[in-house]
């Protein structure tokens, strides 16, 4: 038995060392605009702690059939995710809310207008040509503006189709002209697009080719020669060129977005203040819990406190490994889980004291106390975990990351608390067996065993 306890103790020490290494050494990706060193132990922080922007968009489904709504919205989420990742936001959250809304959370993003332009633009690229009348003059609309019509060509199937961004390869990039160092967006077509582009430019030599993004003319270079597989978009500012490259490489949204219909910004200084207050609350709570356990349960309380510290380190390590995005309610769930971990020890130690008062030795008292307390611990913790699962599901359906964060941290904490109480604390107490400490009942909060009557005297 002692050898088995020593093996378990060794495994606990190894687990503790790995947890410390994960918490103190390994850094998770930092929030936007900061380095891991500026983050709290390299943890992933939610919007309420790191600051940033929350945007809600509504999909315009008027031209999409009911059977295609779900796939169109999922496609939009996938493309927004590509755009946000290319923009450099490392911990963004993009989720569907209801049937036609998308929630985008951008921790650490300061340039909200640029983010809105990047996310909400459909980015449908079209190539158009000027419409001419029978006399060869450009057709004008009622406002006197030139009328542009889709530039079409015959594809490999013999059909006349319009040239759009769907024929582009995902390798657009910003380049600079050799003479003027002006930014341009260089793009390449796939084989089908190259055939169409070659036909169109061959017919438009000496005439302008309009390049439209979401029906807005962004460039109209004059075609000087027939072009095949590549082209450039010039006369575009550098910041717009970078955004356009991201949009072209991510692809056009399958459904137009309306909005943002909601826009919430969180000051990062408020998040830093919340972290500071949460740390103070957590430390004060931990100290008070340890004092109570030591003063009331004596030596078992000391061992439980040591197990509680190990529990906290393992929790933080799990938060980084999974990883868990910490929100303010998530921190509250973590602190609450500390109380849940102590609750299991309280049940065990009360049973242990009952057995010691009944005159049983420490070895029997430990096993009996743990076995009798286990059903209550198991049932209460399983009930809590079920509630956490329900909370997480509801939070996911409502796109409420704060609710999800609370449920996730509390659920992980409750599951780990059972390991802490049943394995770690139990192993610590078992290691006392066979020592002088085992016979020192006051160290366990018991003055002396209860006196039992002698059956012979009663006769």
């Amino acid at each position: 038995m002692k050898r088995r306890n020593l093996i378990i103790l060794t495994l606990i020490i190894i687990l503790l060392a790995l947890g410390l290494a994960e918490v103190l050494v390994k850094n998770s990706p930092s929030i936007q605009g900061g380095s891991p060193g500026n983050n709290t132990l390299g943890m992933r922080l939610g919007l309420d702690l790191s600051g940033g922007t929350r945007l809600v968009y509504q999909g315009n489904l008027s031209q999409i059939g009911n059977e295609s709504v779900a796939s169109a919205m999922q496609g939009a989420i996938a493309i927004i995710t590509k755009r946000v990742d290319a923009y450099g936001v490392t911990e963004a959250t993009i989720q569907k809310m209801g049937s036609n809304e998308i929630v985008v959370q951008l921790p650490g993003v300061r340039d909200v207008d640029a983010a809105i332009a990047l996310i909400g633009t459909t980015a449908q690229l079209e190539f158009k040509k000027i419409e001419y009348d029978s006399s060869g003059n450009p057709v004008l609309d009622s406002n006197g503006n030139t009328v542009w019509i889709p530039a079409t060509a015959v594809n490999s199937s013999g059909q006349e189709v319009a040239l759009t961004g769907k024929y582009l390869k995902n390798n657009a990039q910003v380049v600079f002209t050799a003479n003027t160092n002006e930014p341009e967006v260089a793009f390449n077509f796939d084989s089908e697009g190259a055939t169409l582009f070659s036909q169109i430019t061959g017919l438009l030599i000496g005439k302008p080719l309009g390049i439209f993004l979401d029906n807005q003319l962004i460039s109209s270079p004059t075609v000087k020669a027939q072009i095949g597989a590549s082209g450039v978009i010039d006369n575009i500012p550098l910041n717009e060129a970078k955004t356009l490259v991201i949009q072209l490489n991510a692809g056009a949204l399958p459904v137009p977005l309306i909005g943002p219909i909601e826009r919430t910004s969180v000051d990062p200084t408020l998040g830093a203040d919340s972290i500071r207050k949460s740390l103070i609350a957590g430390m004060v709570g931990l100290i008070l819990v340890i004092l109570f356990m030591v003063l009331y349960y004596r030596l078992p309380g000391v061992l439980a406190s040591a197990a509680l510290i190990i529990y906290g380190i393992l929790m933080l390590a799990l938060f980084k490994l999974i990883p868990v995005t910490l929100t303010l309610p998530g921190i509250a769930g973590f602190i609450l889980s500390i109380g849940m971990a102590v609750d299991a020890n309280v049940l065990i130690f009360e049973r242990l004291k009952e057995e010691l008062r009944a005159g049983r030795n420490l070895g029997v008292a430990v096993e009996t106390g743990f076995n009798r307390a286990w059903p209550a611990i198991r049932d209460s913790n399983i009930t809590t975990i079920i509630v956490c699962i329900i909370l997480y599901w509801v939070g996911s359906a409502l796109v409420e990351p704060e609710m999800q964060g609370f449920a996730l941290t509390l659920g992980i904490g409750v599951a780990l608390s059972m390991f802490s109480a049943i394995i770690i604390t139990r192993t610590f107490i078992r290691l006392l067996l066979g020592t002088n400490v085992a016979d020192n009942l006051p160290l366990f909060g018991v003055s002396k065993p209860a006196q039992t009557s002698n059956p012979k005297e009663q006769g």
Side-chain angles (χ1 to χ4, degrees):
M1 175 67 74
K2 191 165 184 80
R3 182 182 177 185
R4 178 188 173 191
N5 291 331
L6 289 174
I7 293 174
I8 296 176
L9 178 63
T10 303
L11 293 176
I12 292 172
I13 293 173
I14 293 173
L15 200 60
L16 175 61
L18 292 174
L20 277 172
E22 177 66 25
V23 172
L24 300 178
V25 178
K26 182 179 177 182
N27 284 319
S28 298
S30 65
I31 61 172
Q32 176 70 10
S35 62
N38 296 329
N39 201 341
T40 305
L41 295 177
M43 296 287 179
R44 291 184 61 175
L45 302 181
L47 200 66
D48 56 348
L49 297 180
S50 65
T53 302
R54 180 179 188 268
L55 305 171
V56 180
Y57 288 91
Q58 187 177 64
N60 184 359
L61 307 176
S62 57
Q63 298 180 349
I64 297 178
N66 292 332
E67 67 281 356
S68 304
V69 168
S71 60
M73 294 300 292
Q74 288 301 322
I77 290 173
I79 290 173
I80 291 173
T81 301
K82 290 181 182 178
R83 292 181 181 180
V84 169
D85 289 344
Y87 191 64
V89 183
T90 57
E91 297 171 8
T93 302
I94 299 99
Q95 292 177 295
K96 180 182 174 184
M97 181 171 67
S99 61
N100 66 335
E101 292 183 352
I102 296 175
V103 178
V104 182
Q105 297 193 81
L106 305 171
V109 169
R110 306 291 177 259
D111 193 347
V112 181
D113 292 333
I116 290 174
L118 174 76
I119 294 168
T121 305
T122 305
Q124 180 62 53
L125 194 71
E126 296 176 285
F127 295 85
K128 297 184 178 183
K129 60 184 180 181
I130 294 176
E131 184 178 9
Y132 294 92
D133 58 21
S134 57
S135 302
N137 298 315
V139 175
L140 304 178
D141 62 16
S142 58
N143 296 321
N145 298 319
T146 302
V147 175
W148 294 85
I149 59 175
T152 60
V154 179
N155 63 12
S156 58
S157 301
Q159 298 175 322
E160 187 173 2
V161 295
L163 181 61
T164 66
K166 74 176 183 178
Y167 297 104
L168 291 177
K169 293 182 179 179
N170 297 331
N171 60 357
Q173 57 183 327
V174 177
V175 297
F176 296 89
T177 58
N179 298 328
T180 62
N181 203 35
E182 293 294 323
E184 296 178 333
V185 175
F187 56 85
N188 294 282
F189 289 102
D190 58 21
S191 58
E192 185 78 12
T195 301
L196 299 176
F197 195 50
S198 177
Q199 294 179 47
I200 290 170
T201 54
L203 294 173
L204 294 179
I205 294 176
K207 298 178 181 179
L209 173 64
I211 303 176
F212 287 74
L213 184 70
D214 294 336
N215 293 320
Q216 297 294 319
L217 179 66
I218 60 174
S219 182
S220 57
T222 299
V223 179
K224 298 177 181 178
Q226 188 173 16
I227 307 172
S230 62
V232 295
I233 300 172
D234 56 9
N235 297 322
I236 183 171
L238 180 58
N239 60 332
E240 293 182 17
K242 290 180 178 179
T243 299
L244 179 59
V245 164
I246 292 173
Q247 292 171 332
L248 293 181
N249 289 336
L253 291 172
V255 54
L257 296 181
I258 302 172
I261 58 176
E262 291 182 27
R263 171 175 167 174
T264 306
S265 296
V266 179
D267 192 327
T269 57
L270 296 177
D273 185 58
S274 298
I275 294 175
R276 183 181 60 83
K277 291 179 179 179
S278 298
L279 289 175
I280 293 174
M283 291 301 296
V284 170
L286 182 62
I287 291 171
L288 290 176
V289 167
I290 289 176
L291 282 175
F292 167 76
M293 295 298 292
V294 171
L295 293 176
Y296 191 79
Y297 291 107
R298 312 290 175 84
L299 181 58
V302 173
L303 299 177
S305 299
L308 197 61
I309 294 172
I310 295 174
Y311 161 83
I313 293 171
L314 294 180
M315 277 285 287
L316 293 176
L318 282 175
F319 288 168
K320 294 183 71 174
L321 282 171
I322 291 177
V324 174
T325 300
L326 281 180
T327 60
L328 196 57
I331 293 177
F334 173 45
I335 295 173
L336 179 59
S337 71
I338 294 175
M340 301 289 288
V342 172
D343 178 63
N345 284 306
V346 167
L347 288 173
I348 292 168
F349 293 160
E350 286 298 327
R351 290 289 188 179
L352 175 64
K353 289 169 71 173
E354 289 177 6
E355 299 301 320
L356 291 175
R357 289 194 186 101
R360 294 179 176 84
N361 62 48
L362 183 61
V364 175
V366 168
E367 300 308 318
T368 305
F370 272 85
N371 291 337
R372 288 185 175 180
W374 167 243
I377 296 171
R378 178 197 61 208
D379 294 345
S380 63
N381 286 348
I382 288 176
T383 302
T384 304
I385 290 173
I386 291 173
V387 172
C388 289
I389 292 172
I390 295 172
L391 271 177
Y392 189 88
W393 176 76
V394 172
S396 177
L398 298 177
V399 194
E400 291 292 344
E402 290 83 5
M403 184 186 297
Q404 290 178 280
F406 176 80
L408 186 59
T409 54
L410 180 59
I412 294 172
V414 169
L416 190 59
S417 71
M418 288 193 285
F419 170 78
S420 172
I422 302 302
I423 302 298
I424 300 179
T425 305
R426 191 176 194 174
T427 300
F428 286 169
I429 296 179
R430 279 175 171 174
L431 290 171
L432 300 177
L433 301 178
T435 66
N436 294 331
V437 175
D439 298 325
N440 194 338
L441 294 183
L443 288 177
F444 295 87
V446 178
S447 56
K448 59 180 180 178
Q451 296 295 324
T452 56
S453 58
N454 191 329
K456 293 182 179 180
E457 292 179 357
Q458 291 179 355

